[in-house]
Amino acid sequence: MKYIVLHEPLNYDGSQLQSLFSYKNFGLMGDSMSIFRGTCRVEQNEMVDIEDVLAQDWIYSEDMLHFIVEHFEMDLEKTIIRQRLLIATIKEELEKLGVTTLRRSGDDLYEEDKKLSVSISTLSPVSTLIHCGLNVSNKNTPIPTTGLEDLRIQDVLSFGESVAKHYCAEVTSMRLARCKVRGVQ
Amino acid sequence: MKYIVLHEPLNYDGSQLQSLFSYKNFGLMGDSMSIFRGTCRVEQNEMVDIEDVLAQDWIYSEDMLHFIVEHFEMDLEKTIIRQRLLIATIKEELEKLGVTTLRRSGDDLYEEDKKLSVSISTLSPVSTLIHCGLNVSNKNTPIPTTGLEDLRIQDVLSFGESVAKHYCAEVTSMRLARCKVRGVQ
Amino acid sequence: MKYIVLHEPLNYDGSQLQSLFSYKNFGLMGDSMSIFRGTCRVEQNEMVDIEDVLAQDWIYSEDMLHFIVEHFEMDLEKTIIRQRLLIATIKEELEKLGVTTLRRSGDDLYEEDKKLSVSISTLSPVSTLIHCGLNVSNKNTPIPTTGLEDLRIQDVLSFGESVAKHYCAEVTSMRLARCKVRGVQ
Amino acid sequence: MKYIVLHEPLNYDGSQLQSLFSYKNFGLMGDSMSIFRGTCRVEQNEMVDIEDVLAQDWIYSEDMLHFIVEHFEMDLEKTIIRQRLLIATIKEELEKLGVTTLRRSGDDLYEEDKKLSVSISTLSPVSTLIHCGLNVSNKNTPIPTTGLEDLRIQDVLSFGESVAKHYCAEVTSMRLARCKVRGVQ
Amino acid sequence: MKYIVLHEPLNYDGSQLQSLFSYKNFGLMGDSMSIFRGTCRVEQNEMVDIEDVLAQDWIYSEDMLHFIVEHFEMDLEKTIIRQRLLIATIKEELEKLGVTTLRRSGDDLYEEDKKLSVSISTLSPVSTLIHCGLNVSNKNTPIPTTGLEDLRIQDVLSFGESVAKHYCAEVTSMRLARCKVRGVQ
Amino acid sequence: MKYIVLHEPLNYDGSQLQSLFSYKNFGLMGDSMSIFRGTCRVEQNEMVDIEDVLAQDWIYSEDMLHFIVEHFEMDLEKTIIRQRLLIATIKEELEKLGVTTLRRSGDDLYEEDKKLSVSISTLSPVSTLIHCGLNVSNKNTPIPTTGLEDLRIQDVLSFGESVAKHYCAEVTSMRLARCKVRGVQ
């Protein structure tokens, strides 16, 4: 599994959550993760979470760190478990940088009642996909939020890369863990 | 998904990691989690992790909090991802009790270089299974360990129950998360 | 698995056979069944069964009892087996009401050569779906039909509910039946 | 899918519920169904349904019509759905012979409170398997039963063959039904 | 698995690589193979292989022998393995006609550096699909090619039929090979 | 996917066709291939192909080149397709060494009516496995055979390594081919 960190800004509008995004744009073949920074604004017709659509929620952030993950397997529940693990990994990487005030609730991260993250998993015709966005700034968000700036993360992209490194390594280690046990009765 | 907390001690020797353990012994039908406390001593011929067998590692603890999880699905890699999430959940539940010194490394929890946990996932003919054991005591273990006692967890079984509650709720929420998204291109 | 019975009429035109229909419209999350009554008119471009398209069959009924079932699994053959079981269940529920003159032929129900039902299963990007419609009236149908009225079913929606209750209970019981057997050689 | 009807008696003791039974004994390759007549006596250590083991139920019948079905697929829940359909098919074939007093409850057939059938599905290392037995005689059974004799079925094996013919044809038709629909959104 | 050989020319423009192509056009239900002869011209917006799209490759041949294969299973990797086997089978059938100068490189066939074939596999909403085209003529192709004419294949469609016969027989034999082995530890 | 070539002889008696053989003995984790040379003698009780057991065939060769392949996936039919591709690959590698007289028939290689190979695929509790053996010598085999010696292959293990290299590379390339296509309708 490969990742790429984009050093140019890229705004997320939902259309990045499509199959082969990382391959088409950055040449990453196979399971992959793209990390980039930019605004987040997803209109209703690009929303994937029908719960949000029904609730007429909208998603907006002036500055976010984005992760787009693609797994070339079709079991969406499996990718949702991976998504939760990704959120746990983000929290763990923040702990290494001294941030110990976060709690994970499903696929969300909070500091008290301020939300740090948005995240969704879905199916494409050929793969499963995850988007996770972490607020950098907490300005002008539709609900109370915190941002990586508030958590004193200096180098946002380099933090993103450390998450990617750990997530990709864990995907590999889980694949191998499957290959060294005998069955039981 | 249901769980049971045993208030009688039960020693773990590896034979509990078998299909239908919770159904046969406690009547839990379907995906389940059994929580109990007892010693941990697994002989070579009961070991499931061939890496441990090859390394001639052995597993021993005088007092452990045990989790046996059974998922009636046959994708071992998927259950290994769940196992990692279970380990992350244990860490998160300990954080709620004020323990902020742990780090997760794959399916292990450490405080500095002292190991808190053992864990394995495997396949039975009808299901996938997870065992996770947390040292209560750190005495006489073959490698440097820490225990829930060292972490000042007073009520070990009640801590086990809070983990079970969160894990079972998360399994349900992940199943439902799969049922409220549209696909993308 | 949950079901809902709509007491307002709803006409079926094929567009109801889409993913998340019951969630979007009635808030049912997860595997579900929606039961409603209304006309049935499916134009060629909404038809899902290509055999009907090729035969230039068309589907019309002035008044039908409709079942829309969604299973969040991607194995279409498995959902087709469930569909056959649903048809068998409908026949069995009619027997409880004294109707013993029906025969099942695959996914169709007949009284002699008069057709009671239409039914189809298909895949959406995130689930598998079943539509089954039972004629209430036999008037103006393109082929010889019988209807629930002819079979002296007084309360059509309440009959629909009894089918739903049994089908949903059976789905659950089949899931559990999978969790209480050992494997064999 | 092929079937064979044995004209020699064969007693069922549970050991017939094993992979490749029909191939090893009768040369049927691929998905198959074997039909035979004989006593049914399954000891505890051959029992596959752990619910029966826990309840210390035992299974005995002096004369039964047996069906052994093997599907070379590993999804046990899918084969359990097929098993329910097989039971519905048996009831439907009996209706063609004028027996209209039966009801299906899951994988059981009853006349009032008298049980006609026993049935179980399980996994082998290479396939899924179904056993279904229908009492011919109701004598000396541990619970109240009815038998095909009571239902005035004259030619038991020929009845078995008509069930096999319909079940095998339906398996084929369900496979093909999967191959003639377009997907929906 | 069935095949059909079209004796009328049919030009391939990519739109034939769609689900149910053989069923809609030629009435073949289930896994199938259609063989026909015609030009090959696939525009960018019909291209399925994103590698070709990114490379701005284009596909053109004045005269090709085409194979469209559909397998009603959703595991794309599995169908890609079948595709490689189809290519190996084409080479083997050519050997029977005395052509011993070809080599297979993945899903391509070459004579020295001249390409004989194009091929792609993909997913539809209900199936997996393979297209393979063999140049008959090598004229005006965008890269150096050889054609069945250069290889002295007289009767192109009859050659296509021999490939189809062997491929379909092998699909059947592989299905049965799965049904005659016991498992191992 | 990794491979190892053993330079010490190792006799094949069927017990090598077990899960984790390459991991336990040579430390290869994940999908793997072990290549070695030695006699081949498989007794009835080690035979995996029940067709051979029923035919009372036996397998014996004084000197064979052996391939043991393990894929950590549970779809046996998929591994059987891979097995056929392995056999095609062996034939292709022999062609590079000037051997153009072989034909493949399913999972067997022949020169005229002399058999070069034996091969079987099966399931373990945690993986699927392939054994393929190529006669080096044709002496004392129970049926007419040819051997790599007759085909003038000088360096048998080095030939085995070239097969392994190509097979492992093709497994990787097929995995990636799955990750660069868009779906179609």
Side-chain angles (χ1 to χ4, degrees):
Chain A
M1 183 167 179
K2 293 172 193 155
Y3 68 84
I4 192 168
V5 180
L6 304 190
H7 291 278
E8 299 297 298
L10 180 61
N11 296 329
Y12 181 82
D13 61 11
S15 68
Q16 292 77 15
L17 192 66
Q18 66 162 261
S19 57
L20 304 177
F21 170 75
S22 298
Y23 177 55
K24 282 179 188 171
N25 291 284
F26 318 120
L28 296 191
M29 209 184 281
D31 285 16
S32 71
M33 198 170 191
S34 291
I35 297 97
F36 53 91
R37 189 170 168 179
T39 62
C40 180
R41 178 196 291 266
V42 184
E43 303 298 334
Q44 287 268 329
N45 62 345
E46 284 287 350
M47 279 189 173
V48 159
D49 187 336
I50 304 302
E51 195 165 32
D52 289 347
V53 173
L54 295 177
Q56 299 192 282
D57 280 351
W58 57 296
I59 298 173
Y60 177 73
S61 177
E62 290 192 1
D63 189 4
M64 265 194 167
L65 176 63
H66 298 280
F67 302 86
I68 301 280
V69 184
E70 184 162 23
H71 290 289
F72 287 90
E73 265 187 294
M74 304 309 286
D75 181 341
L76 177 52
E77 193 185 35
K78 189 172 178 179
T79 286
I80 286 169
I81 312 173
R82 289 184 179 112
Q83 177 194 14
R84 302 289 171 103
L85 192 63
L86 171 61
I87 303 299
T89 300
I90 289 170
K91 177 172 167 294
E92 291 163 2
E93 289 304 303
L94 283 167
E95 287 163 8
K96 292 184 191 166
L97 300 175
V99 179
T100 58
T101 51
L102 296 179
R103 65 185 165 85
R104 181 176 71 85
S105 171
D107 56 10
D108 288 320
L109 289 174
Y110 289 92
E111 187 181 50
E112 289 158 11
D113 291 335
K114 291 171 294 178
K115 211 161 167 252
L116 176 63
S117 61
V118 295
S119 188
I120 190 70
S121 294
T122 191
L123 266 168
S124 84
V126 295
S127 60
T128 46
L129 292 158
I130 306 171
H131 170 249
C132 175
L134 304 178
N135 295 309
V136 178
S137 155
N138 68 4
K139 278 189 242 156
N140 299 321
T141 52
I143 56 168
T145 58
T146 189
L148 294 174
E149 276 177 2
D150 305 284
L151 302 174
R152 315 244 173 256
I153 303 307
Q154 311 281 346
D155 187 340
V156 166
L157 285 178
S158 144
F159 166 70
E161 181 159 9
S162 74
V163 169
K165 230 179 244 173
H166 274 82
Y167 181 79
C168 293
E170 185 145 28
V171 166
T172 303
S173 89
M174 292 187 292
R175 173 72 195 160
L176 286 179
R178 187 248 172 283
C179 304
K180 57 172 196 144
V181 290
R182 64 168 179 85
V184 296
Q185 282 306 308
Chain B
M1 183 166 178
K2 291 172 195 155
Y3 67 85
I4 192 169
V5 180
L6 304 190
H7 291 279
E8 299 298 299
L10 179 61
N11 296 329
Y12 181 81
D13 62 11
S15 68
Q16 291 78 15
L17 192 66
Q18 66 163 259
S19 57
L20 303 177
F21 170 75
S22 297
Y23 178 55
K24 283 180 187 169
N25 291 284
F26 318 120
L28 296 191
M29 208 185 279
D31 285 16
S32 70
M33 198 169 189
S34 291
I35 298 96
F36 53 90
R37 188 170 166 178
T39 62
C40 180
R41 177 196 292 267
V42 184
E43 303 297 334
Q44 287 268 330
N45 62 343
E46 285 287 351
M47 279 190 174
V48 159
D49 187 336
I50 304 302
E51 195 165 31
D52 289 347
V53 173
L54 295 178
Q56 298 192 283
D57 280 350
W58 58 295
I59 298 173
Y60 177 73
S61 177
E62 289 193 1
D63 189 4
M64 265 194 167
L65 176 64
H66 298 281
F67 302 87
I68 301 280
V69 185
E70 183 162 23
H71 290 290
F72 287 91
E73 265 187 294
M74 305 309 286
D75 181 341
L76 176 52
E77 193 186 35
K78 189 172 179 179
T79 286
I80 286 169
I81 312 174
R82 289 183 179 112
Q83 177 194 12
R84 302 288 172 104
L85 193 63
L86 171 61
I87 304 298
T89 300
I90 290 169
K91 176 171 168 293
E92 290 163 2
E93 289 305 303
L94 284 167
E95 287 164 8
K96 292 183 192 166
L97 300 175
V99 179
T100 58
T101 51
L102 296 179
R103 66 184 166 87
R104 181 176 71 85
S105 171
D107 58 10
D108 287 319
L109 288 174
Y110 289 92
E111 187 181 50
E112 288 158 10
D113 291 336
K114 291 171 293 178
K115 211 161 168 253
L116 176 62
S117 62
V118 294
S119 188
I120 191 71
S121 294
T122 191
L123 267 168
S124 84
V126 296
S127 60
T128 45
L129 293 158
I130 306 170
H131 170 249
C132 174
L134 304 178
N135 295 308
V136 177
S137 156
N138 67 4
K139 278 189 242 154
N140 299 322
T141 52
I143 56 167
T145 58
T146 189
L148 294 173
E149 277 177 3
D150 305 283
L151 302 174
R152 315 249 172 248
I153 304 306
Q154 311 279 346
D155 187 340
V156 166
L157 285 178
S158 145
F159 167 70
E161 180 158 9
S162 74
V163 170
K165 230 179 241 172
H166 274 82
Y167 181 79
C168 293
E170 186 144 29
V171 166
T172 302
S173 89
M174 291 188 292
R175 173 73 193 157
L176 287 179
R178 187 247 172 282
C179 304
K180 56 170 196 145
V181 291
R182 65 170 179 83
V184 296
Q185 283 306 309
Chain C
M1 182 166 180
K2 291 171 196 155
Y3 67 85
I4 192 168
V5 179
L6 304 190
H7 291 278
E8 298 298 299
L10 180 61
N11 296 329
Y12 182 80
D13 62 11
S15 68
Q16 291 77 16
L17 191 66
Q18 67 163 260
S19 58
L20 303 176
F21 170 75
S22 297
Y23 178 55
K24 282 179 185 169
N25 291 284
F26 318 119
L28 297 191
M29 209 183 279
D31 285 15
S32 70
M33 197 169 190
S34 292
I35 297 97
F36 53 91
R37 188 170 167 178
T39 61
C40 181
R41 178 196 292 266
V42 184
E43 303 297 335
Q44 288 268 330
N45 62 343
E46 284 288 350
M47 279 190 175
V48 158
D49 187 336
I50 303 303
E51 194 165 31
D52 290 347
V53 173
L54 294 178
Q56 298 192 282
D57 280 351
W58 56 297
I59 298 173
Y60 177 73
S61 176
E62 289 193 3
D63 190 3
M64 265 194 167
L65 176 64
H66 298 281
F67 301 87
I68 300 281
V69 184
E70 185 162 21
H71 290 290
F72 286 91
E73 264 187 293
M74 304 310 285
D75 181 341
L76 177 52
E77 192 186 35
K78 190 173 177 178
T79 285
I80 286 170
I81 313 175
R82 288 183 180 112
Q83 177 194 13
R84 302 289 171 105
L85 193 63
L86 171 60
I87 303 299
T89 300
I90 289 169
K91 175 171 168 293
E92 290 163 2
E93 289 304 303
L94 284 168
E95 287 163 8
K96 291 184 192 166
L97 299 176
V99 179
T100 58
T101 50
L102 296 179
R103 66 184 166 86
R104 182 176 71 85
S105 171
D107 57 9
D108 288 320
L109 289 174
Y110 289 91
E111 188 182 48
E112 289 156 11
D113 292 336
K114 290 171 292 176
K115 211 161 167 251
L116 176 64
S117 61
V118 295
S119 188
I120 191 71
S121 293
T122 191
L123 267 169
S124 84
V126 296
S127 60
T128 45
L129 293 157
I130 305 171
H131 171 249
C132 175
L134 303 178
N135 295 308
V136 177
S137 155
N138 68 3
K139 278 190 242 154
N140 298 321
T141 52
I143 55 167
T145 58
T146 189
L148 294 173
E149 277 177 4
D150 305 283
L151 302 173
R152 315 245 173 254
I153 303 306
Q154 311 280 346
D155 187 341
V156 166
L157 285 178
S158 146
F159 167 70
E161 182 159 9
S162 74
V163 170
K165 230 178 242 172
H166 274 82
Y167 182 80
C168 293
E170 186 144 29
V171 166
T172 303
S173 89
M174 291 188 293
R175 172 71 193 159
L176 286 179
R178 187 246 172 282
C179 304
K180 56 171 195 142
V181 290
R182 64 169 180 83
V184 295
Q185 282 307 308
Chain D
M1 184 167 180
K2 292 171 196 156
Y3 67 85
I4 193 169
V5 179
L6 304 190
H7 292 278
E8 299 297 298
L10 179 62
N11 296 328
Y12 182 81
D13 61 11
S15 69
Q16 291 77 16
L17 193 66
Q18 67 163 260
S19 57
L20 304 178
F21 169 74
S22 297
Y23 177 55
K24 282 180 187 170
N25 291 284
F26 319 119
L28 297 191
M29 208 184 281
D31 285 17
S32 71
M33 198 169 191
S34 292
I35 297 96
F36 53 91
R37 189 169 166 179
T39 63
C40 180
R41 178 197 291 268
V42 184
E43 303 297 334
Q44 287 268 329
N45 62 344
E46 284 287 350
M47 279 190 173
V48 159
D49 187 336
I50 304 303
E51 196 165 30
D52 289 347
V53 173
L54 295 177
Q56 298 192 283
D57 281 351
W58 57 297
I59 298 173
Y60 177 73
S61 177
E62 289 193 1
D63 189 4
M64 265 195 167
L65 175 65
H66 298 281
F67 301 86
I68 301 280
V69 184
E70 184 160 23
H71 290 290
F72 287 90
E73 264 188 294
M74 305 309 285
D75 181 341
L76 177 52
E77 193 186 35
K78 190 172 178 180
T79 286
I80 286 170
I81 312 174
R82 287 183 180 113
Q83 177 195 13
R84 302 290 172 104
L85 193 63
L86 170 62
I87 303 299
T89 299
I90 289 169
K91 175 171 168 294
E92 290 163 3
E93 290 304 303
L94 284 167
E95 287 163 7
K96 292 184 192 166
L97 299 176
V99 179
T100 58
T101 51
L102 296 179
R103 66 185 166 85
R104 182 176 71 85
S105 171
D107 57 10
D108 287 320
L109 290 174
Y110 288 92
E111 187 181 50
E112 288 157 13
D113 291 336
K114 291 171 293 177
K115 212 162 168 251
L116 175 63
S117 62
V118 295
S119 188
I120 191 70
S121 294
T122 191
L123 267 168
S124 85
V126 295
S127 60
T128 45
L129 292 158
I130 306 171
H131 171 248
C132 175
L134 303 179
N135 295 307
V136 177
S137 156
N138 68 4
K139 279 189 241 154
N140 299 321
T141 53
I143 57 167
T145 57
T146 189
L148 294 174
E149 276 177 4
D150 305 283
L151 303 174
R152 316 246 172 252
I153 303 305
Q154 311 280 347
D155 186 340
V156 166
L157 285 178
S158 145
F159 167 70
E161 180 158 9
S162 74
V163 169
K165 231 178 242 175
H166 274 82
Y167 181 79
C168 294
E170 185 144 29
V171 166
T172 303
S173 89
M174 292 188 292
R175 174 70 194 161
L176 286 179
R178 186 249 172 282
C179 303
K180 56 172 196 144
V181 291
R182 65 169 179 84
V184 296
Q185 282 306 308
Chain E
M1 184 166 178
K2 292 172 195 153
Y3 67 84
I4 193 168
V5 180
L6 305 189
H7 291 279
E8 298 297 298
L10 179 62
N11 296 328
Y12 182 81
D13 61 11
S15 68
Q16 291 77 16
L17 193 66
Q18 66 163 262
S19 57
L20 304 177
F21 169 75
S22 297
Y23 177 55
K24 283 179 186 170
N25 291 283
F26 318 119
L28 297 192
M29 208 184 280
D31 284 17
S32 71
M33 197 168 190
S34 291
I35 297 97
F36 53 91
R37 188 169 167 179
T39 62
C40 180
R41 177 196 293 266
V42 184
E43 303 297 334
Q44 287 269 329
N45 62 342
E46 284 287 350
M47 279 190 174
V48 159
D49 187 336
I50 304 303
E51 196 165 31
D52 289 347
V53 173
L54 295 177
Q56 298 191 283
D57 280 350
W58 56 297
I59 298 173
Y60 177 73
S61 177
E62 290 194 0
D63 189 3
M64 265 193 168
L65 175 65
H66 298 281
F67 302 86
I68 301 280
V69 184
E70 184 161 23
H71 290 289
F72 287 90
E73 265 187 294
M74 305 309 284
D75 181 340
L76 177 52
E77 193 186 34
K78 190 173 177 179
T79 286
I80 287 170
I81 312 174
R82 287 183 180 113
Q83 177 194 13
R84 302 290 172 104
L85 193 63
L86 170 61
I87 304 299
T89 300
I90 290 170
K91 176 171 167 293
E92 290 162 3
E93 289 304 303
L94 283 168
E95 287 164 7
K96 292 184 193 166
L97 300 175
V99 179
T100 58
T101 51
L102 296 179
R103 67 186 166 83
R104 182 177 71 85
S105 170
D107 57 10
D108 288 319
L109 289 174
Y110 288 92
E111 187 182 49
E112 287 157 15
D113 291 336
K114 292 171 291 177
K115 211 160 167 254
L116 175 64
S117 62
V118 295
S119 187
I120 192 70
S121 293
T122 191
L123 265 168
S124 84
V126 295
S127 60
T128 44
L129 292 157
I130 305 171
H131 171 248
C132 175
L134 304 179
N135 295 306
V136 176
S137 155
N138 68 4
K139 280 189 241 154
N140 299 321
T141 53
I143 56 168
T145 57
T146 189
L148 294 174
E149 276 177 4
D150 305 283
L151 303 174
R152 316 246 172 253
I153 304 306
Q154 311 281 347
D155 186 340
V156 166
L157 286 178
S158 146
F159 167 70
E161 181 158 8
S162 73
V163 169
K165 230 178 243 174
H166 274 83
Y167 182 79
C168 293
E170 185 144 29
V171 166
T172 303
S173 89
M174 292 187 292
R175 174 69 194 161
L176 286 179
R178 187 248 171 281
C179 303
K180 56 173 196 142
V181 290
R182 65 170 179 83
V184 296
Q185 282 306 308
Chain F
M1 184 167 179
K2 292 170 195 156
Y3 68 84
I4 193 168
V5 179
L6 304 191
H7 291 278
E8 299 298 298
L10 180 61
N11 295 329
Y12 182 81
D13 61 12
S15 68
Q16 291 78 16
L17 192 66
Q18 67 162 261
S19 57
L20 304 177
F21 169 75
S22 297
Y23 178 54
K24 282 180 187 169
N25 291 284
F26 318 118
L28 297 191
M29 208 184 281
D31 285 15
S32 70
M33 197 170 191
S34 291
I35 297 96
F36 53 91
R37 188 169 168 179
T39 62
C40 181
R41 179 196 292 266
V42 184
E43 303 297 334
Q44 287 268 330
N45 63 343
E46 284 288 349
M47 279 189 174
V48 159
D49 188 336
I50 303 303
E51 195 166 30
D52 290 346
V53 173
L54 295 178
Q56 298 192 282
D57 281 351
W58 57 296
I59 298 173
Y60 177 73
S61 177
E62 289 193 1
D63 189 3
M64 264 194 167
L65 176 65
H66 297 281
F67 301 86
I68 301 280
V69 184
E70 184 162 22
H71 290 289
F72 286 90
E73 265 187 293
M74 305 309 286
D75 182 342
L76 177 52
E77 192 186 36
K78 190 172 178 179
T79 286
I80 286 170
I81 313 174
R82 288 183 180 112
Q83 177 195 12
R84 301 289 172 104
L85 193 62
L86 171 60
I87 303 298
T89 300
I90 289 169
K91 176 171 168 293
E92 291 162 2
E93 289 304 304
L94 284 167
E95 287 164 7
K96 292 183 193 167
L97 299 175
V99 179
T100 58
T101 51
L102 296 179
R103 66 186 166 85
R104 182 177 70 85
S105 170
D107 58 9
D108 287 320
L109 289 174
Y110 288 93
E111 187 182 49
E112 288 157 13
D113 291 336
K114 291 171 292 176
K115 211 162 168 252
L116 175 64
S117 62
V118 296
S119 187
I120 191 71
S121 293
T122 191
L123 267 168
S124 85
V126 296
S127 61
T128 45
L129 293 157
I130 305 170
H131 171 249
C132 175
L134 304 179
N135 294 308
V136 177
S137 156
N138 68 4
K139 279 189 241 155
N140 299 320
T141 52
I143 56 168
T145 59
T146 188
L148 295 173
E149 277 177 2
D150 304 284
L151 303 173
R152 317 247 172 251
I153 303 306
Q154 312 279 346
D155 186 341
V156 166
L157 285 177
S158 146
F159 167 69
E161 181 158 9
S162 73
V163 170
K165 229 178 243 173
H166 274 83
Y167 182 79
C168 294
E170 186 144 29
V171 166
T172 303
S173 89
M174 291 188 292
R175 173 71 194 159
L176 287 179
R178 188 246 172 283
C179 303
K180 56 170 196 145
V181 290
R182 63 170 180 82
V184 295
Q185 282 306 307

